Amino acid sequence: MGAGPAIQKGTGSSGRVFLLLLKSFIGTGVLFLSSAFRDGGFAFSVAMLLLLAILITVGMMLLVWTSEVVPGSFEQIGDRLFGKPARWLVLASVGISQFGFGCAYCLFVAKNASELVRRVSNDTVFLGPWIFILIQMGIYLPLVTVRRMENFAILSIMGNAFVLFGLGVVSVAAISHMVSAGGVAKDIVMLNADRFPLFIGTSIYTFEGIGLVIPMKEACKEPKKFGMILCVAMVITTAIYVFVAAVGYLSWGAEVQTIVLFNLDQNALSSTIYALYIWAIVFTFPITVTPTMQCLDKVLFSSVLDIDPDVKPVKPAKGMALWSPRKLFWTQNVARWAVVLSIGLVAYFAADALDKLVSIVGSFGCVPLSFCYPAAFHLRAFPNQGLGWKLLDWAFIVVGFAAMIFVTIQTLRS
C-alpha cells in the first residue's frame, strides 16, 4: 500500500487508474509466494489464493460502496460511522501494516545484498544481513525527511519496471528448470497441515492494498466504472500471483527459498536481478513507510495542527502556542527517525524468520483492514440492507477477526 495515487481527484482516465492499481498491487511480495505454496501445499494454496482474492475484492467493494454514502478517507469514514475509536483503530492498523512492510522490505534488501556479495565474490566474501541493515539505516534516515513523495515518482516507476522484469526472469528460470529436470519436483505436496497458516498470512500480505481504494476511486474521472476497473485489476493480479508462485514451487519443490530469487542460478543475470530489486526497494522506501509516518503525525501532532500534518505547517490549533514550521519539521523528523530505527531493530531480530514476519504482518496488520473494518463500516452505513448483506458483513467481521488471531498464533508457534 502506497501513499496514494499520483493524480488529482477526478482527473484520471479509466486506463490510467487501472495501470496505477496494477502498479500498486504487483510488488515484491509475490516473491514470497512460492515458498508460501510450500508451506500450504500446492492444491490448498491455489484454492486458498483464489478464494482470498475474491474475498479481498469483496472487502474493497464494501469500502467503495460505503464511501459513496459516507465520503472521506478510510479513517474518516470510521470516525463518521463509529466515532474516534474507529478512526484510531484504522490509523493503528494502517501504521502497523506499513511498519511491517518496512521491516520485511528492510530484511529483504539485507538478505538480497548479502547473497549478491556472496555470488559476486564467488563465495569468498560473506557479509551478514545485519551489516546491510545498518547501511540501509544510513540511507533511510535522510530519505524519510523528504515530505514531497513526487520526488520519488520516477524512482518508483523504475522500481516497478525492475520488479516486473525480475518476475519474468524467475518464471522463465523456473520453467527451464522443470524442463531440464524432466518435470515438476518430486516432493510436491497438496496440503501441508503443519504450516498452512503461514501461507494464509503471506498471501494476505501480498494482496494488501485496500488503503489505496478510496484515493484511486476519487482520482477516477468516471467513478461509476471504478468497481469494474478494480475487479479486472484484481483478476490480472491474481493470475500473475498464481502463475509465478506455482511455477516456482513446482520447479524447486521443498528446496524453494523464502525469497525465490535465491533459487536462480549463480550468474551475471541473477546478480543483476538482485541489484535491481535492491534499487527498487531502497529508493522507494519513503513511499512504503509514508502511511506510517502520516499516522504517527496525526497521533503526535494533532493537538498542534488543525490541518493534515503532511501539509506544510502554517496554522496552530485554537488555544495552542504557535509552533514554527522549523520546530514542527524537526520534531516530526525525530519521530520519523525513531520509526526507521525501530524498523531496523525488528529486521535485525527477525533475520532468520522472514517468512514468519511476512505472515504476521499479513494476519495481524492486514486482515482487519481487508475484512473487518470494511464490513463493519458497510453494516453501519446501510442499516436497511437485506438479510443476505448483513450476514455477509457479519461473516467478514467474525471470520476475519478469528483468522487474524488464529493465523498470528499459529505462525508464532510454527
Side-chain angles (χ1 to χ4, degrees):
M1 184 169 66
I7 47 181
Q8 295 180 348
K9 293 183 179 181
T11 62
S13 65
S14 298
R16 189 176 183 188
V17 170
F18 171 74
L19 291 176
L20 282 171
L21 284 170
L22 285 181
K23 171 180 172 293
S24 302
F25 290 156
I26 303 174
T28 55
V30 68
L31 296 176
F32 301 121
L33 279 180
S34 291
S35 62
F37 268 46
R38 176 197 62 205
D39 295 328
F42 184 76
F44 173 82
S45 298
V46 171
M48 183 58 66
L49 194 61
L50 294 175
L51 176 61
L52 285 173
I54 294 171
L55 295 178
I56 289 172
T57 303
V58 172
M60 291 179 177
M61 290 306 303
L62 291 176
L63 186 60
V64 168
W65 293 326
T66 301
S67 70
E68 292 176 353
V69 296
V70 186
S73 63
F74 203 164
E75 68 270 17
Q76 287 172 339
I77 291 174
D79 192 347
R80 291 166 184 170
L81 290 173
F82 289 97
K84 294 296 181 184
R87 176 186 181 88
W88 296 121
L89 274 176
V90 172
L91 287 175
S93 294
V94 170
I96 291 171
S97 63
Q98 294 301 131
F99 179 87
F101 290 147
C103 297
Y105 287 164
C106 181
L107 186 51
F108 178 91
V109 168
K111 286 183 171 290
N112 267 272
S114 180
E115 180 70 7
L116 176 61
V117 169
R118 184 192 68 80
R119 293 190 176 208
V120 170
S121 67
N122 293 318
D123 296 323
T124 60
V125 178
F126 297 92
L127 298 177
W130 68 271
I131 294 176
F132 296 101
I133 291 175
L134 284 177
I135 292 173
Q136 288 178 83
M137 295 299 97
I139 297 173
Y140 297 153
L141 287 173
L143 283 183
V144 296
T145 64
V146 178
R147 301 302 197 269
R148 296 178 62 86
M149 290 299 102
E150 307 93 281
N151 296 326
F152 298 98
I154 298 299
L155 296 174
S156 178
I157 293 173
M158 294 174 63
N160 284 106
F162 295 158
V163 168
L164 291 175
F165 176 65
L167 294 181
V169 171
V170 168
S171 299
V172 171
I175 294 172
S176 298
H177 183 266
M178 282 190 286
V179 171
S180 62
V184 302
K186 306 301 183 184
D187 52 5
I188 300 298
V189 297
M190 294 296 108
L191 171 64
N192 187 341
D194 295 328
R195 292 176 62 87
F196 73 89
L198 275 173
F199 169 81
I200 298 175
T202 302
S203 57
I204 295 175
Y205 168 98
T206 306
F207 271 119
E208 211 289 312
I210 195 166
L212 286 172
V213 168
I214 293 176
M216 289 290 187
K217 177 179 176 292
E218 292 177 344
C220 190
K221 189 185 301 182
E222 300 178 272
K224 291 184 178 180
K225 295 183 178 180
F226 180 76
M228 180 59 68
I229 296 170
L230 176 62
C231 290
V232 173
M234 283 295 292
V235 168
I236 294 176
T237 299
T238 304
I240 293 173
Y241 285 176
V242 171
F243 177 77
V244 174
V247 296
Y249 178 53
L250 292 175
S251 176
W252 292 294
E255 299 301 316
V256 68
Q257 301 294 308
T258 300
I259 303 173
V260 73
L261 291 178
F262 292 177
N263 288 102
L264 296 176
D265 292 335
Q266 188 167 324
N267 53 41
L269 178 59
S270 64
S271 297
T272 300
I273 296 298
Y274 284 20
L276 291 179
Y277 267 87
I278 291 170
W279 168 285
I281 293 178
V282 168
F283 292 104
T284 58
F285 182 84
I287 297 177
T288 301
V289 297
T290 287
T292 299
M293 304 303 186
Q294 291 173 338
C295 294
L296 189 64
D297 286 346
K298 291 173 183 177
V299 171
L300 296 180
F301 305 108
S302 59
S303 62
V304 177
L305 293 176
D306 286 327
I307 58 176
D308 189 330
D310 296 296
V311 178
K312 186 176 180 181
V314 294
K315 180 182 178 183
K318 294 180 180 179
M320 299 299 297
L322 176 64
W323 278 39
S324 69
R326 174 180 290 274
K327 179 180 179 181
L328 183 58
F329 177 79
W330 286 108
T331 305
Q332 287 177 308
N333 283 346
V334 170
R336 290 169 180 240
W337 292 336
V339 170
V340 172
L341 293 175
S342 299
I343 286 173
L345 282 174
V346 173
Y348 172 77
F349 286 110
D352 296 324
L354 178 57
D355 54 347
K356 291 185 179 181
L357 175 62
V358 169
S359 181
I360 289 172
V361 172
S363 58
F364 188 75
C366 301
V367 166
L369 291 170
S370 298
F371 302 109
C372 302
Y373 301 155
F377 296 170
H378 185 264
L379 185 65
R380 177 63 66 90
F382 296 94
N384 298 319
Q385 62 183 334
L387 178 62
W389 284 107
K390 290 182 179 180
L391 291 175
L392 176 67
D393 287 337
W394 276 111
F396 265 59
I397 296 169
V398 174
V399 175
F401 182 77
M404 177 187 71
I405 300 299
F406 172 76
V407 173
T408 301
I409 293 175
Q410 293 301 315
T411 299
L412 291 172
R413 287 179 174 177
S414 64

